Structures are given as structure tokens and as C-alpha cells.
Coordinates of all heavy atoms in Angstrom, one line a residue:
M1 N -86.0 18.5 10.6 CA -86.1 20.0 10.9 C -86.0 20.7 9.6 O -85.2 20.4 8.7 CB -84.9 20.3 11.8 CG -84.8 21.8 12.0 SD -83.6 22.1 13.3 CE -84.3 23.7 13.8
I2 N -86.8 21.7 9.4 CA -86.8 22.5 8.2 C -86.1 23.8 8.5 O -86.3 24.5 9.5 CB -88.3 22.9 7.8 CG1 -89.1 21.6 7.6 CG2 -88.3 23.8 6.6 CD1 -88.7 20.7 6.5
I3 N -85.1 24.2 7.7 CA -84.4 25.4 7.8 C -84.7 26.2 6.5 O -85.0 25.7 5.5 CB -82.9 25.2 8.0 CG1 -82.2 24.5 6.9 CG2 -82.7 24.5 9.3 CD1 -80.7 24.4 7.0
S4 N -84.5 27.5 6.6 CA -84.8 28.4 5.5 C -83.6 28.4 4.5 O -82.4 28.1 4.9 CB -85.0 29.8 5.9 OG -83.8 30.5 6.2
F5 N -83.9 28.7 3.3 CA -82.9 28.7 2.2 C -81.8 29.8 2.6 O -80.6 29.6 2.3 CB -83.5 29.0 0.9 CG -82.6 28.7 -0.3 CD1 -82.2 27.4 -0.5 CD2 -82.0 29.7 -1.1 CE1 -81.3 27.0 -1.6 CE2 -81.2 29.4 -2.1 CZ -80.8 28.0 -2.3
N6 N -82.2 30.8 3.3 CA -81.3 31.8 3.8 C -80.2 31.3 4.8 O -79.2 31.8 4.9 CB -82.0 33.0 4.4 CG -82.7 33.8 3.4 OD1 -82.4 33.9 2.2 ND2 -83.8 34.5 3.8
D7 N -80.6 30.2 5.4 CA -79.6 29.5 6.3 C -78.8 28.5 5.6 O -77.7 28.2 6.0 CB -80.4 28.8 7.4 CG -81.1 29.8 8.4 OD1 -80.5 30.8 8.6 OD2 -82.2 29.4 8.9
V8 N -79.3 28.0 4.5 CA -78.6 27.0 3.7 C -77.4 27.6 2.9 O -76.3 27.0 2.9 CB -79.5 26.3 2.7 CG1 -78.8 25.4 1.7 CG2 -80.6 25.5 3.4
I9 N -77.6 28.8 2.4 CA -76.6 29.5 1.6 C -75.3 29.7 2.3 O -74.2 29.2 1.8 CB -77.1 30.8 1.0 CG1 -78.3 30.5 0.0 CG2 -76.0 31.6 0.3 CD1 -79.1 31.7 -0.4
P10 N -75.3 30.3 3.5 CA -74.0 30.4 4.2 C -73.3 29.1 4.6 O -72.1 29.0 4.6 CB -74.3 31.3 5.4 CG -75.8 31.3 5.6 CD -76.3 30.9 4.2
F11 N -74.2 28.1 4.9 CA -73.6 26.8 5.2 C -72.9 26.2 4.0 O -71.8 25.7 4.1 CB -74.8 25.8 5.7 CG -74.4 24.4 5.7 CD1 -73.4 23.9 6.5 CD2 -75.0 23.5 4.8 CE1 -73.0 22.5 6.5 CE2 -74.6 22.2 4.7 CZ -73.6 21.7 5.6
K12 N -73.6 26.2 2.9 CA -73.0 25.6 1.7 C -71.7 26.4 1.3 O -70.7 25.8 0.9 CB -73.9 25.7 0.5 CG -75.1 24.7 0.6 CD -76.1 24.8 -0.5 CE -75.5 24.8 -1.9 NZ -75.8 23.6 -2.7
K13 N -71.7 27.7 1.5 CA -70.6 28.5 1.2 C -69.4 28.2 2.1 O -68.2 28.0 1.6 CB -70.9 30.0 1.3 CG -69.8 30.9 0.9 CD -70.3 32.4 1.0 CE -69.1 33.3 0.7 NZ -69.4 34.7 0.8
E14 N -69.7 28.0 3.4 CA -68.6 27.7 4.3 C -68.0 26.3 4.0 O -66.8 26.2 4.1 CB -69.1 27.8 5.7 CG -68.0 27.5 6.7 CD -68.4 27.8 8.2 OE1 -69.2 28.7 8.4 OE2 -67.9 27.0 9.0
M15 N -68.8 25.4 3.7 CA -68.3 24.0 3.4 C -67.4 24.0 2.2 O -66.4 23.4 2.1 CB -69.4 23.0 3.3 CG -70.2 22.7 4.6 SD -69.1 22.1 5.9 CE -69.3 23.5 7.1
M16 N -67.8 24.8 1.2 CA -67.0 24.9 -0.1 C -65.7 25.7 0.2 O -64.6 25.2 -0.2 CB -67.8 25.6 -1.2 CG -67.0 25.8 -2.5 SD -66.4 24.2 -3.1 CE -67.8 23.6 -3.9
E17 N -65.8 26.8 0.9 CA -64.6 27.6 1.1 C -63.6 26.9 2.1 O -62.4 26.9 1.8 CB -64.9 29.0 1.7 CG -65.6 29.9 0.7 CD -66.1 31.2 1.2 OE1 -66.0 31.4 2.5 OE2 -66.5 32.0 0.4
K18 N -64.0 26.3 3.1 CA -63.1 25.7 4.1 C -62.8 24.3 3.9 O -61.7 23.8 4.3 CB -63.8 25.8 5.5 CG -63.9 27.2 6.1 CD -64.4 27.2 7.5 CE -64.4 28.6 8.0 NZ -64.9 28.7 9.4
H19 N -63.6 23.6 3.1 CA -63.4 22.1 2.9 C -63.4 21.7 1.5 O -63.2 20.5 1.2 CB -64.4 21.3 3.8 CG -64.4 21.7 5.2 ND1 -63.4 21.3 6.1 CD2 -65.2 22.5 5.9 CE1 -63.7 21.8 7.3 NE2 -64.8 22.5 7.2
G20 N -63.7 22.6 0.6 CA -63.7 22.2 -0.9 C -64.8 21.2 -1.2 O -64.7 20.5 -2.1
A21 N -65.9 21.2 -0.4 CA -67.0 20.3 -0.5 C -68.2 20.9 -1.0 O -68.7 21.9 -0.4 CB -67.2 19.6 0.8
Y22 N -68.8 20.4 -2.1 CA -70.1 20.9 -2.6 C -71.1 20.1 -1.9 O -71.2 18.9 -2.0 CB -70.2 20.8 -4.1 CG -71.5 21.4 -4.6 CD1 -71.6 22.7 -4.8 CD2 -72.6 20.6 -4.8 CE1 -72.7 23.3 -5.3 CE2 -73.8 21.1 -5.3 CZ -73.8 22.5 -5.5 OH -75.0 23.1 -5.9
V23 N -72.1 20.8 -1.3 CA -73.2 20.1 -0.5 C -74.4 20.4 -1.4 O -74.8 21.5 -1.6 CB -73.3 20.7 0.9 CG1 -74.5 20.1 1.6 CG2 -72.0 20.6 1.7
H24 N -75.1 19.3 -1.7 CA -76.4 19.4 -2.4 C -77.5 19.5 -1.4 O -77.5 18.8 -0.4 CB -76.6 18.1 -3.2 CG -75.6 17.9 -4.3 ND1 -75.7 18.4 -5.6 CD2 -74.4 17.2 -4.3 CE1 -74.7 18.1 -6.3 NE2 -73.9 17.3 -5.5
F25 N -78.4 20.4 -1.7 CA -79.6 20.6 -0.8 C -80.9 20.3 -1.5 O -81.1 20.7 -2.6 CB -79.6 22.1 -0.3 CG -80.8 22.5 0.4 CD1 -81.1 21.9 1.7 CD2 -81.7 23.4 -0.1 CE1 -82.2 22.3 2.4 CE2 -82.8 23.8 0.7 CZ -83.1 23.2 1.9
H26 N -81.7 19.5 -0.9 CA -83.0 19.0 -1.5 C -84.1 19.4 -0.5 O -84.1 19.1 0.7 CB -83.0 17.5 -1.7 CG -81.8 17.0 -2.4 ND1 -81.7 17.0 -3.8 CD2 -80.6 16.6 -2.0 CE1 -80.6 16.5 -4.2 NE2 -79.8 16.3 -3.1
D27 N -85.1 20.1 -1.1 CA -86.3 20.6 -0.3 C -87.5 20.1 -1.1 O -87.8 20.6 -2.1 CB -86.2 22.1 -0.2 CG -87.3 22.7 0.7 OD1 -88.0 21.9 1.3 OD2 -87.3 23.9 0.8
Q28 N -88.2 19.1 -0.5 CA -89.3 18.5 -1.2 C -90.5 18.3 -0.3 O -90.4 17.6 0.7 CB -88.9 17.1 -1.8 CG -87.7 17.1 -2.7 CD -87.2 15.8 -3.0 OE1 -87.3 14.9 -2.2 NE2 -86.6 15.6 -4.1
C29 N -91.6 19.0 -0.5 CA -92.8 18.8 0.2 C -92.7 18.7 1.7 O -93.1 17.8 2.3 CB -93.6 17.6 -0.3 SG -94.0 17.7 -2.1
G30 N -92.0 19.7 2.3 CA -91.8 19.8 3.7 C -90.8 18.9 4.3 O -90.6 18.8 5.5
A31 N -90.0 18.2 3.4 CA -88.9 17.4 3.9 C -87.6 17.9 3.2 O -87.6 18.2 2.1 CB -89.1 15.9 3.5
Q32 N -86.6 18.0 4.0 CA -85.3 18.5 3.5 C -84.2 17.5 3.8 O -84.3 16.8 4.8 CB -84.9 19.8 4.1 CG -85.8 20.9 3.8 CD -85.4 22.2 4.6 OE1 -84.8 22.2 5.6 NE2 -85.8 23.3 4.0
F33 N -83.3 17.4 2.9 CA -82.1 16.6 3.2 C -80.9 17.1 2.3 O -81.1 17.9 1.4 CB -82.3 15.1 2.9 CG -82.5 14.7 1.5 CD1 -81.4 14.2 0.7 CD2 -83.8 14.8 0.9 CE1 -81.6 13.9 -0.6 CE2 -84.0 14.4 -0.4 CZ -82.9 13.9 -1.1
F34 N -79.7 16.8 2.7 CA -78.5 17.2 2.0 C -77.8 15.9 1.6 O -77.9 14.9 2.2 CB -77.6 17.9 3.0 CG -78.2 19.2 3.6 CD1 -79.0 19.1 4.7 CD2 -77.9 20.4 3.1 CE1 -79.6 20.3 5.2 CE2 -78.4 21.6 3.6 CZ -79.2 21.5 4.7
N35 N -77.0 16.1 0.6 CA -76.1 15.0 0.3 C -74.7 15.5 -0.2 O -74.7 16.6 -0.7 CB -76.7 13.9 -0.6 CG -76.9 14.4 -2.0 OD1 -77.6 15.3 -2.3 ND2 -76.1 13.7 -3.0
L36 N -73.7 14.7 0.0 CA -72.4 15.1 -0.4 C -71.9 14.3 -1.6 O -72.4 13.2 -1.8 CB -71.4 14.7 0.8 CG -71.8 15.4 2.1 CD1 -70.9 14.8 3.2 CD2 -71.6 16.9 2.1
E37 N -70.9 14.8 -2.3 CA -70.3 14.0 -3.4 C -69.2 13.1 -2.9 O -68.9 12.1 -3.5 CB -69.8 15.0 -4.4 CG -70.9 15.8 -5.1 CD -70.4 16.8 -6.1 OE1 -69.2 17.1 -6.2 OE2 -71.2 17.4 -6.8
E38 N -68.7 13.5 -1.8 CA -67.6 12.8 -1.1 C -67.7 12.9 0.4 O -68.0 14.0 0.9 CB -66.2 13.3 -1.6 CG -65.1 12.5 -1.2 CD -63.8 13.1 -1.8 OE1 -63.8 13.6 -2.9 OE2 -62.8 13.0 -1.1
H39 N -67.5 11.8 1.1 CA -67.6 11.9 2.6 C -66.3 11.6 3.2 O -65.6 10.6 2.8 CB -68.6 10.8 3.0 CG -68.9 10.8 4.5 ND1 -68.1 10.1 5.3 CD2 -69.8 11.4 5.3 CE1 -68.5 10.2 6.6 NE2 -69.5 11.0 6.5
T40 N -65.9 12.4 4.1 CA -64.7 12.2 4.9 C -65.0 12.4 6.4 O -66.0 13.2 6.7 CB -63.5 13.1 4.5 OG1 -63.9 14.5 4.9 CG2 -63.1 13.0 3.0
P41 N -64.3 11.8 7.3 CA -64.6 12.0 8.7 C -64.4 13.5 9.1 O -65.2 14.0 9.9 CB -63.6 11.1 9.4 CG -63.2 10.1 8.4 CD -63.3 10.7 7.1
E42 N -63.5 14.2 8.5 CA -63.2 15.6 8.8 C -64.4 16.4 8.3 O -64.8 17.4 9.0 CB -61.9 16.1 8.1 CG -60.7 15.4 8.6 CD -60.4 14.0 8.0 OE1 -61.0 13.7 7.0 OE2 -59.6 13.3 8.6
L43 N -64.9 16.2 7.1 CA -66.1 16.9 6.6 C -67.3 16.6 7.5 O -68.0 17.6 7.8 CB -66.3 16.6 5.1 CG -67.5 17.3 4.5 CD1 -67.4 18.8 4.6 CD2 -67.7 16.8 3.1
Q44 N -67.5 15.4 7.8 CA -68.7 15.1 8.7 C -68.6 15.8 10.0 O -69.6 16.4 10.5 CB -68.8 13.6 9.0 CG -69.9 13.2 9.9 CD -70.2 11.8 10.0 OE1 -69.9 11.0 9.1 NE2 -70.8 11.4 11.1
Q45 N -67.4 15.9 10.6 CA -67.2 16.6 11.9 C -67.5 18.1 11.7 O -68.1 18.7 12.5 CB -65.8 16.4 12.4 CG -65.6 16.9 13.8 CD -66.5 16.2 14.8 OE1 -66.5 15.0 14.9 NE2 -67.4 16.9 15.5
A46 N -67.0 18.7 10.6 CA -67.2 20.1 10.3 C -68.7 20.4 10.2 O -69.2 21.4 10.7 CB -66.5 20.5 9.0
I47 N -69.4 19.5 9.5 CA -70.9 19.7 9.3 C -71.6 19.6 10.7 O -72.4 20.4 11.1 CB -71.5 18.7 8.3 CG1 -70.9 19.0 6.9 CG2 -73.0 18.7 8.3 CD1 -71.2 18.0 5.9
E48 N -71.2 18.6 11.5 CA -71.8 18.4 12.8 C -71.6 19.6 13.7 O -72.4 20.0 14.4 CB -71.3 17.1 13.4 CG -71.9 15.8 12.7 CD -71.3 14.5 13.2 OE1 -70.2 14.6 13.9 OE2 -71.8 13.5 12.9
D49 N -70.3 20.1 13.7 CA -70.0 21.2 14.5 C -70.7 22.5 14.1 O -71.2 23.2 14.9 CB -68.5 21.5 14.4 CG -67.6 20.4 15.1 OD1 -68.2 19.6 15.9 OD2 -66.4 20.3 14.9
Y50 N -70.8 22.7 12.8 CA -71.5 23.8 12.2 C -73.0 23.9 12.8 O -73.4 24.9 13.3 CB -71.5 23.8 10.7 CG -72.2 25.0 10.1 CD1 -71.5 26.1 9.7 CD2 -73.6 25.0 9.8 CE1 -72.1 27.2 9.1 CE2 -74.2 26.1 9.2 CZ -73.4 27.2 8.9 OH -74.0 28.3 8.3
F51 N -73.7 22.8 12.7 CA -75.1 22.8 13.1 C -75.2 22.7 14.6 O -76.2 23.2 15.2 CB -75.8 21.7 12.4 CG -76.1 22.1 10.9 CD1 -75.5 21.5 9.9 CD2 -77.1 23.1 10.7 CE1 -75.8 21.8 8.6 CE2 -77.3 23.5 9.3 CZ -76.7 22.8 8.3
A52 N -74.3 22.0 15.3 CA -74.3 21.9 16.7 C -74.3 23.3 17.4 O -75.0 23.5 18.4 CB -73.2 21.0 17.3
A53 N -73.5 24.2 16.8 CA -73.5 25.6 17.3 C -74.8 26.3 17.2 O -75.1 27.3 17.9 CB -72.4 26.3 16.5
K54 N -75.7 25.7 16.4 CA -77.1 26.3 16.2 C -78.1 25.4 16.9 O -79.3 25.6 16.8 CB -77.4 26.4 14.7 CG -76.4 27.3 14.0 CD -76.7 27.2 12.5 CE -75.8 28.1 11.7 NZ -75.5 29.4 12.2
G55 N -77.7 24.4 17.7 CA -78.6 23.6 18.5 C -79.3 22.6 17.6 O -80.4 22.1 17.9
I56 N -78.6 22.2 16.5 CA -79.2 21.2 15.5 C -78.3 20.0 15.5 O -77.1 20.1 15.4 CB -79.3 21.9 14.1 CG1 -80.3 23.1 14.2 CG2 -79.8 20.9 13.1 CD1 -80.2 23.9 12.9
T57 N -79.0 18.8 15.5 CA -78.3 17.6 15.4 C -78.3 17.1 13.9 O -79.3 17.2 13.2 CB -78.9 16.5 16.3 OG1 -78.8 17.0 17.6 CG2 -78.2 15.2 16.2
V58 N -77.2 16.5 13.5 CA -77.1 16.0 12.1 C -77.0 14.5 12.2 O -76.3 13.9 13.0 CB -75.8 16.5 11.4 CG1 -75.6 16.0 10.0 CG2 -75.7 18.0 11.4
K59 N -77.8 13.8 11.3 CA -77.8 12.3 11.3 C -77.4 12.0 9.8 O -78.0 12.3 8.9 CB -79.1 11.8 11.5 CG -79.6 11.9 13.0 CD -78.9 11.0 13.9 CE -79.9 10.2 14.6 NZ -79.4 9.1 15.3
F60 N -76.3 11.2 9.7 CA -75.7 10.8 8.4 C -76.2 9.4 8.1 O -76.4 8.5 8.9 CB -74.2 10.8 8.4 CG -73.6 12.1 8.2 CD1 -73.4 13.0 9.2 CD2 -73.2 12.5 6.9 CE1 -72.9 14.3 9.0 CE2 -72.6 13.7 6.7 CZ -72.5 14.6 7.7
S61 N -76.4 9.2 6.8 CA -76.7 7.9 6.2 C -75.9 7.8 4.9 O -76.4 8.3 3.9 CB -78.2 7.6 6.0 OG -78.4 6.4 5.4
G62 N -74.7 7.3 5.0 CA -73.8 7.3 3.8 C -73.5 8.8 3.4 O -73.0 9.6 4.2
L63 N -73.8 9.1 2.2 CA -73.5 10.5 1.7 C -74.6 11.5 2.0 O -74.5 12.7 1.8 CB -73.3 10.5 0.2 CG -72.0 9.7 -0.3 CD1 -72.0 9.6 -1.8 CD2 -70.7 10.3 0.2
M64 N -75.7 11.0 2.5 CA -76.9 11.8 2.8 C -76.9 12.2 4.3 O -76.5 11.4 5.1 CB -78.2 11.1 2.4 CG -79.4 12.0 2.6 SD -80.9 11.1 2.7 CE -80.8 10.4 4.4
F65 N -77.4 13.4 4.6 CA -77.7 13.7 6.0 C -78.9 14.6 6.1 O -79.3 15.2 5.2 CB -76.5 14.3 6.7 CG -76.0 15.6 6.1 CD1 -76.4 16.8 6.6 CD2 -75.1 15.7 5.0 CE1 -76.0 18.1 6.1 CE2 -74.7 16.9 4.5 CZ -75.1 18.1 5.1
R66 N -79.5 14.5 7.3 CA -80.7 15.3 7.7 C -80.4 16.0 9.0 O -79.6 15.6 9.7 CB -81.9 14.3 7.8 CG -82.3 13.7 6.5 CD -83.6 12.9 6.6 NE -84.7 13.6 7.3 CZ -85.6 13.1 8.1 NH1 -85.6 11.8 8.3 NH2 -86.5 13.8 8.6
L67 N -81.2 17.0 9.2 CA -81.1 17.8 10.4 C -82.3 17.6 11.3 O -83.4 17.4 10.9 CB -81.1 19.3 10.0 CG -80.1 19.7 9.0 CD1 -80.2 21.2 8.7 CD2 -78.7 19.4 9.4
F68 N -82.0 17.5 12.6 CA -83.0 17.3 13.6 C -82.9 18.3 14.8 O -81.8 18.5 15.3 CB -82.9 15.9 14.2 CG -83.2 14.8 13.2 CD1 -82.2 14.3 12.4 CD2 -84.4 14.2 13.1 CE1 -82.4 13.3 11.5 CE2 -84.7 13.2 12.2 CZ -83.7 12.7 11.4
S69 N -84.1 18.8 15.2 CA -84.1 19.5 16.4 C -84.1 18.5 17.6 O -84.2 17.3 17.4 CB -85.4 20.3 16.5 OG -86.5 19.5 16.7
E70 N -83.9 19.0 18.8 CA -83.8 18.1 19.9 C -85.1 17.3 20.1 O -85.1 16.1 20.3 CB -83.5 18.9 21.2 CG -83.2 18.1 22.4 CD -82.8 18.9 23.6 OE1 -82.0 19.8 23.4 OE2 -83.3 18.6 24.7
E71 N -86.2 18.0 19.9 CA -87.5 17.3 20.0 C -87.7 16.2 18.9 O -88.2 15.1 19.2 CB -88.7 18.3 19.9 CG -88.7 19.3 21.0 CD -87.7 20.5 20.8 OE1 -87.4 20.8 19.7 OE2 -87.3 21.0 21.8
E72 N -87.3 16.5 17.7 CA -87.4 15.6 16.6 C -86.5 14.4 16.8 O -86.9 13.2 16.6 CB -87.1 16.2 15.3 CG -88.1 17.2 14.8 CD -87.6 18.0 13.6 OE1 -86.3 18.3 13.5 OE2 -88.4 18.4 12.7
L73 N -85.4 14.6 17.3 CA -84.4 13.5 17.6 C -85.0 12.6 18.7 O -84.9 11.3 18.5 CB -83.1 14.1 18.1 CG -81.9 13.1 18.1 CD1 -81.7 12.5 16.7 CD2 -80.7 13.9 18.5
K74 N -85.6 13.1 19.7 CA -86.2 12.3 20.8 C -87.3 11.5 20.2 O -87.5 10.3 20.5 CB -86.7 13.1 21.9 CG -85.6 13.7 22.8 CD -86.1 14.6 23.9 CE -85.0 15.2 24.7 NZ -85.4 16.1 25.7
A75 N -88.1 12.1 19.3 CA -89.3 11.4 18.7 C -88.8 10.2 17.8 O -89.3 9.1 17.8 CB -90.1 12.3 17.9
E76 N -87.7 10.5 17.1 CA -87.1 9.4 16.2 C -86.6 8.3 17.0 O -86.7 7.1 16.6 CB -85.9 10.0 15.4 CG -86.3 10.8 14.2 CD -86.7 9.9 13.0 OE1 -86.0 8.9 12.7 OE2 -87.7 10.2 12.4
E77 N -86.0 8.6 18.1 CA -85.4 7.5 19.0 C -86.5 6.7 19.7 O -86.3 5.5 20.0 CB -84.5 8.1 20.0 CG -83.2 8.7 19.4 CD -82.3 9.5 20.4 OE1 -82.8 9.7 21.5 OE2 -81.2 9.9 20.0
N78 N -87.7 7.3 19.9 CA -88.8 6.6 20.5 C -89.6 5.8 19.6 O -90.6 5.1 20.0 CB -89.6 7.5 21.3 CG -88.9 8.1 22.5 OD1 -88.1 7.5 23.1 ND2 -89.2 9.3 22.9
K79 N -89.3 5.7 18.3 CA -90.1 5.0 17.3 C -89.8 3.5 17.4 O -88.8 3.0 17.8 CB -89.8 5.5 15.9 CG -90.4 6.8 15.6 CD -90.2 7.1 14.1 CE -90.9 8.4 13.8 NZ -90.7 8.8 12.4

């Protein structure tokens, strides 16, 4: 799922202010992903909750995570 940079800024700010976590954002040729410097279960839950409130699912792979719409998630699961 592609989100605008205007949506990324408040997310990064909230994670820093509430959790002291710097979130790296990567936007390359139509693909976006985020990565963390440190992963904790509490931080993962905060990220999942933040995006769930917007109807977006987060999939983690180690320190990296991506965002998926409901349609994209279904397509990923059917591969």
C-alpha cells in the first residue's frame, strides 16, 4: 500500500514522541517500506494499532515492515 509523505510525517512523529523510536521510511519506485532501529513487542503493537485505526494492516519481517490494504493482504495470502 502506498501512503503519502504527508501521512508518514505524523506517524513518525508520534512513534518518536510516544515511544522514543525513530522509524526509517523508504519510498522506491512505487514500493514503500519502513524499518526500525530497535524492535520491541510494545512498539510493534503501537505501530499495528496506529495503522489499524486507518484500516491498514502492518506486516513485519524482523526490523522491517510494510503496509497492506485489505485487498492487497488477500492477494498476498492467495499467492
Side-chain angles (χ1 to χ4, degrees):
M1 171 167 207
I2 304 297
I3 62 172
S4 79
F5 197 66
N6 290 334
D7 293 325
V8 173
I9 294 168
F11 164 66
K12 289 176 53 110
K13 182 177 179 183
E14 183 171 323
M15 292 304 111
M16 179 56 78
E17 289 176 353
K18 291 186 176 180
H19 304 282
Y22 185 81
V23 179
H24 298 271
F25 173 65
H26 307 274
D27 187 3
Q28 304 168 331
C29 299
Q32 296 177 333
F33 67 96
F34 299 82
N35 71 295
L36 305 170
E37 294 178 352
E38 186 177 327
H39 181 275
T40 65
E42 296 80 17
L43 179 57
Q44 179 172 333
Q45 189 63 56
I47 292 168
E48 289 172 347
D49 291 347
Y50 181 93
F51 285 109
K54 300 175 183 311
I56 300 170
T57 300
V58 180
K59 293 284 239 172
F60 277 85
S61 177
L63 295 174
M64 186 202 71
F65 63 94
R66 292 183 53 212
L67 307 179
F68 292 87
S69 68
E70 189 173 316
E71 296 81 26
E72 290 170 326
L73 194 57
K74 287 178 184 175
E76 277 286 312
E77 291 172 352
N78 291 328
K79 285 186 178 179

